[in-house]
Amino acid sequence: DGGITQSPKYLFRKEGQNVTLSCEQNLNHDAMYWYRQDPGQGLRLIYYSQIVNDFQKGDIAEGYSVSREKKESFPLTVTSAQKNPTAFYLCASRIQGMNTEAFFGQGTRLTVV
Amino acid sequence: DQQVKQNSPSLSVQEGRISILNCDYTNSMFDYFLWYKKYPAEGPTFLISISSIKDKNEDGRFTVFLNKSAKHLSLHIVPSQPGDSAVYFCAALGTGTASKLTFGTGTRLQVTL
């Protein structure tokens, strides 16, 4: 079955540590996105990539980094520079250049302890 | 700069009645609009979309209306069912400055018996 997979579902991090969230898709989609959701908030775009080896900052990129070395994978690193990392993180993918929907993973809940 | 706005954070509707969820946008480069449904701790699921060349799109109980001159779209759910209770997000895509998938802040719909 084709889909988009985020792992892990729950993640705990100590303050000052970097942590990497995984996002893998087998839908052959060019475009991938990372969003953050806080309680009572909408989905805010962190980074997005429209093609392998290229990515752009979204609206709240500070304290985050990404890579896009393979079409299937778009990992997100939450660095120690991110002041409020506790949130629900969502990854999505879609066909680039066409009017089509984005498909989402099930999300990763990151908690800083 | 919130380019996609959902001004009603919550809406309560009786079962069987119509639910109307609204969304406004500011970027005239948006030309494709989507609605997603989201349950807590899950990824959003796609509901329905509309291209800017249309003013209406219908899929079963769900209809989306687009008013380009007012930069406004709405999602109608008829008849509303208890299983429709969730948070609904509108999203927009376009070209140039609008090429990233941008979400609104969401509206929590509660369908009561």
Side-chain angles (χ1 to χ4, degrees):
Chain A
D1 281 338
I4 180 164
T5 303
Q6 290 185 242
S7 61
K9 191 166 176 64
Y10 300 96
L11 191 56
F12 296 88
R13 185 195 97 176
K14 290 184 179 179
E15 279 195 43
Q17 287 182 338
N18 292 356
V19 64
T20 297
L21 282 61
S22 170
C23 179
E24 303 276 333
Q25 53 95 3
N26 60 5
L27 300 166
N28 200 33
H29 288 170
D30 291 305
M32 297 187 74
Y33 305 81
W34 273 106
Y35 293 90
R36 167 181 173 144
Q37 186 186 23
D38 295 282
Q41 303 270 332
L43 304 182
R44 293 186 291 168
L45 183 64
I46 304 172
Y47 268 98
Y48 65 108
S49 168
Q50 296 174 313
I51 196 169
V52 175
N53 292 323
D54 189 37
F55 47 83
Q56 289 79 38
K57 292 182 179 180
D59 301 314
I60 56 165
E62 186 175 349
Y64 299 98
S65 66
V66 293
S67 63
R68 187 83 188 278
E69 297 175 1
K70 297 187 301 182
K71 189 175 188 177
E72 302 80 16
S73 179
F74 191 40
L76 173 74
T77 297
V78 185
T79 75
S80 56
Q82 169 49 234
K83 294 188 173 19
N84 280 313
T86 294
F88 189 56
Y89 291 86
L90 286 158
C91 180
S93 71
R94 61 182 292 273
I95 298 172
Q96 178 63 26
M98 293 178 63
N99 282 347
T100 59
E101 71 269 28
F103 293 84
F104 279 84
Q106 287 302 297
T108 294
R109 166 75 60 188
L110 173 64
T111 303
V112 174
V113 296
Chain B
D1 176 24
Q2 190 75 31
Q3 296 190 25
V4 180
K5 302 177 187 179
Q6 293 176 257
N7 293 319
S8 299
S10 64
L11 175 68
S12 183
V13 171
Q14 273 190 322
E15 182 181 11
R17 307 294 287 265
I18 183 171
S19 296
I20 300 176
L21 295 94
N22 294 303
C23 180
D24 297 292
Y25 62 96
T26 57
N27 193 333
S28 57
M29 299 297 288
F30 288 138
D31 59 10
Y32 184 60
F33 304 90
L34 309 93
W35 284 94
Y36 283 83
K37 177 180 180 180
K38 187 182 182 302
Y39 294 114
E42 293 184 9
T45 53
F46 170 73
L47 274 176
I48 191 169
S49 63
I50 188 166
S51 167
S52 59
I53 61 173
K54 294 184 173 182
D55 55 17
K56 176 182 174 182
N57 190 26
E58 194 170 353
D59 184 1
R61 296 186 298 115
F62 302 93
T63 303
V64 56
F65 295 92
L66 176 63
N67 182 334
K68 282 182 61 180
S69 60
K71 294 191 174 67
H72 177 84
L73 62 153
S74 60
L75 174 68
H76 293 210
I77 306 174
V78 183
S80 300
Q81 299 173 354
D84 295 330
S85 297
V87 177
Y88 289 78
F89 290 97
C90 68
L93 261 174
T95 56
T97 58
S99 62
K100 53 188 181 181
L101 181 58
T102 302
F103 281 79
T105 51
T107 296
R108 180 177 303 278
L109 172 66
Q110 183 169 6
V111 180
T112 59
L113 297 173

